[in-house]
Amino acid sequence: MTEHEIAATYANKIFGFARNKTNNIFDAEDLAQEILTAVIKSVRSGRKIHNFDAWINTMCHYTWRNYIVKNKRHWNSSSLDDYNMPDDINTPEDVFISDETAHEIYKETAYLSRACREATVMFYYDGLKVKDIAQKLNLPEGTVKWLLSESRKKIREGIEMAEKNLGFKPIRMWCGCMGKQGPNGEPQSYFKSSLMQNIAYAAYKQPVTIEEIAHQICTAAVFVEEGVNLLVYAGLMNKLSGGRFQTNFVIDSPESRAAEVEYCYKKAPEVAEKYCGEFEKHFNKIKAVGYIGSGLNDNFQKWVFIPYMLSKALFKSGYFEKYSPEERRDGGKYIVSAGLDSDDIPGKKHGTPGKLPADITKKYESRGIKIRDSESFYGWQADTWWSGLNFRDFDVQDVMDMYRVVNIIENNQDADDYDKVIISRLIKKAFVAKKDNQLEILIPVLKKEEFRKLNEIIDDVLNEAGYELFDEVINDFIKLWRNFAPSSVSENELYFKAANHAGGIIFAVLEYLERTGELIKPDDSETTRLSTLMAFL
């Protein structure tokens, strides 16, 4: 058809459409003119049109959508019921449009799952018939009709939610891991983006569909699908029946943190009395081993050996043998450690229970315990409130460097240029000091036989005190986390995380010992090297 033939054939239909939509002859003339202009422009582009009736209908609605967005202020009182949303879908004339603007329809369509989204776009925007959509998607016609019906229902629900002003506040989730990272820094690399953090949290408390996640975080479903597929591949999200998904790792919250703190506050005196009382009876035996650093002041050494002893008691638990980080398809072997701050939980404010004094419970914070070992070297370090709550750089290389420094001291050797670099680095970490041109080691360093004797004495302490109390603590943490973690989280994830979090009792014990005078707060010169030991195996 020529331009003139199109205008002659469809002018009345276009104007009738415009008049029906605007209810105003002046606006109808403007809209009809825009539709005709769009039609002629499309024809001039050389587009092949097989069904002019369906195509004109599509162009009318397409232009109406743009018109209403452009003139949004004039169309903000329309109701969803003012538009044709028939229950039976047969032809492109059965069209639905936004309750306020076509922009809302576009937005809600983006939240649909892939199948619903594709069928909706083909039917309402491309003007295809049901049978044509069925052929393209390789689906029965009945399934296509069902998808379109579901789309209308979900779009209606989404617009109604928007009308209620259900706002979305993105959360910020920190992420670490227990175990070995993947080759590209997994799992931390997954959660560098706010999108992935919010996808994981949206699917955390209960199973949800792609559409529900998309609505909750106000993001197009196509992006949600990509994120969900990645997490499912890594085993960090479970795919459940009914097209639903749920996050498969535990996310800390201020609420769960408060419960842990309250438990540790109540339990710390019992643990301190049972284990640290027995430790005092053996402390002189430990110093008599004669390791490097055995002449350091007693208080500093207790800040090393008491948490070391308590960590040994914790890791003796059978939970650490039965449950361990999982091999992942991304090449890592880890358990995710993740959490939120109170400001990042919409509508909630949690924190340390009001009954507990903040000046006490703040000292329960830690950056964990690090064990760095190889066939020949062993390093242990606890990052605590008293060491500055920094994640201190500490690795096997530090122990290897210390081995070289010990040889220099014991053999009275001159340091070469490479040795001077090593010494400078250990001085910066406060493990070594140089006084009157003499090197001095400022942490406990044990040779193989000394390390064996130390562990024998520590084992004697733990055998005398018994391991039952630490088993009880871990079991209590498992019960605690059952109340916070979704039931879909795997037993391995839950138990391993709970057992590791039970280590919080160690730092609560240190606080209790400081508060009761059994330990004295380290001075500023000791904090950088606090709670660190090395051994040569």
Side-chain angles (χ1 to χ4, degrees), residues 370-406:
K370 303 190 288 284
I371 296 174
R372 307 292 189 242
D373 57 354
S374 66
E375 289 184 4
S376 302
F377 302 100
Y378 176 90
W380 180 94
Q381 187 178 71
D383 289 324
T384 68
W385 184 85
W386 296 273
S387 64
L389 274 184
N390 298 314
F391 190 85
R392 294 174 287 177
D393 178 29
F394 182 65
D395 211 335
V396 170
Q397 187 62 50
D398 293 313
V399 189
M400 296 170 64
D401 291 348
M402 182 64 78
Y403 180 78
R404 174 59 186 153
V405 170
V406 169

Side-chain angles (χ1 to χ4, degrees), residues 495-514:
Y495 281 34
F496 190 80
K497 183 180 181 72
N500 273 275
H501 275 230
I505 194 67
I506 296 172
F507 309 107
V509 167
L510 293 177
E511 185 285 321
Y512 176 78
L513 294 175
E514 184 203 23

Side-chain angles (χ1 to χ4, degrees), residues 358-371:
D359 61 331
I360 291 176
T361 55
K362 70 180 181 181
K363 298 179 182 180
Y364 294 2
E365 291 292 330
S366 77
R367 295 294 178 265
I369 292 171
K370 303 190 288 284
I371 296 174

Side-chain angles (χ1 to χ4, degrees), residues 107 109-114 117 168 193-203 208-233 237 243-247:
K107 184 176 72 173
T109 300
Y111 294 156
L112 297 173
S113 65
R114 178 178 282 113
R117 189 172 65 247
F168 166 62
S193 72
S194 176
L195 173 63
M196 292 295 287
Q197 296 169 21
N198 282 274
I199 288 174
Y201 187 66
V208 287
T209 63
I210 295 290
E211 295 99 321
E212 288 169 336
I213 297 174
H215 267 293
Q216 187 172 331
I217 68 174
C218 299
T219 300
V222 64
F223 299 117
V224 173
E225 287 164 354
E226 291 176 358
V228 166
N229 289 339
L230 182 60
L231 296 179
V232 169
Y233 172 80
M237 186 172 283
R244 296 183 179 275
F245 301 85
Q246 190 159 20
T247 299

